[in-house]
Amino acid sequence: MTHTRLSRPVAARRLIRAGLASAAAIALLGCNVDELLQVEDPSVVTPGTIRDPSVLPTVLAGAVGDFAAAYSGTSAQEGQILTSGLLADEWLHAGTFPTRVEVDKRSIQVTNTTMQGVFRTLSQARVAAERAARLFDEIGDDAEGQALALALA
């Protein structure tokens, strides 16, 4: 019977793996899994707290952020400035995106994903602003905040 010896690096790796597995098992035994899944996040506005007047500035800030993303665009989506500038010949397309070329040539297809994205972000901004204005009307007394929300909508 022959006996094969493991090289030292292989034996060391096996020992390290066994030690890490043991440490993980001990750590899991000391944890209550139910407590790990129950966390509190005080910065999230939940449906139950949306009727509190103290969250109105947060709702308004969200509407302003949605409007800014729809108007000027983001790194992933064109905004109203670019697309309306392409349509009005203020801008010229200088890239290879065929959906932008369609806008510049005024031959926009129904399946144009650029225009779908622009419409989607504009709609999201409008809904967020209308929701904020409605909340100001129902539970707030800040006429300035409500006026801003209505203007954004």
Side-chain angles (χ1 to χ4, degrees), residues 121-134:
T121 56
L122 283 171
S123 297
Q124 288 171 342
R126 179 186 50 80
V127 167
E130 288 173 350
R131 182 180 301 130
R134 189 171 51 251

Side-chain angles (χ1 to χ4, degrees), residues 16-30:
I16 290 171
R17 283 186 199 142
L20 289 174
S22 299
I26 291 171
L28 286 176
L29 288 175

Side-chain angles (χ1 to χ4, degrees), residues 2-20:
T2 60
H3 180 66
T4 59
R5 250 180 121 194
L6 294 174
S7 67
R8 287 184 188 213
V10 172
R13 280 192 296 247
R14 285 186 178 173
L15 185 60
I16 290 171
R17 283 186 199 142
L20 289 174

Side-chain angles (χ1 to χ4, degrees), residues 3 18 27 41 128 138-139 147 150:
H3 180 66
D41 192 354
E138 292 172 4
I139 61 172
L150 286 170

Side-chain angles (χ1 to χ4, degrees), residues 49-111:
T49 60
I50 198 71
R51 294 284 181 209
D52 185 1
S54 66
V55 301
L56 288 176
T58 305
V59 173
L60 182 60
V64 169
D66 287 347
F67 176 81
Y71 185 66
S72 62
T74 64
S75 61
Q77 179 62 51
E78 290 83 356
Q80 187 64 31
I81 293 173
L82 175 69
T83 53
S84 62
L86 280 174
L87 189 64
D89 283 337
E90 294 172 357
W91 303 102
L92 294 172
H93 77 87
T96 59
F97 291 104
T99 56
R100 291 181 186 158
V101 174
E102 287 179 9
V103 175
D104 197 23
K105 288 183 174 182
R106 290 160 197 78
S107 62
I108 303 167
Q109 303 297 313
V110 176
T111 57

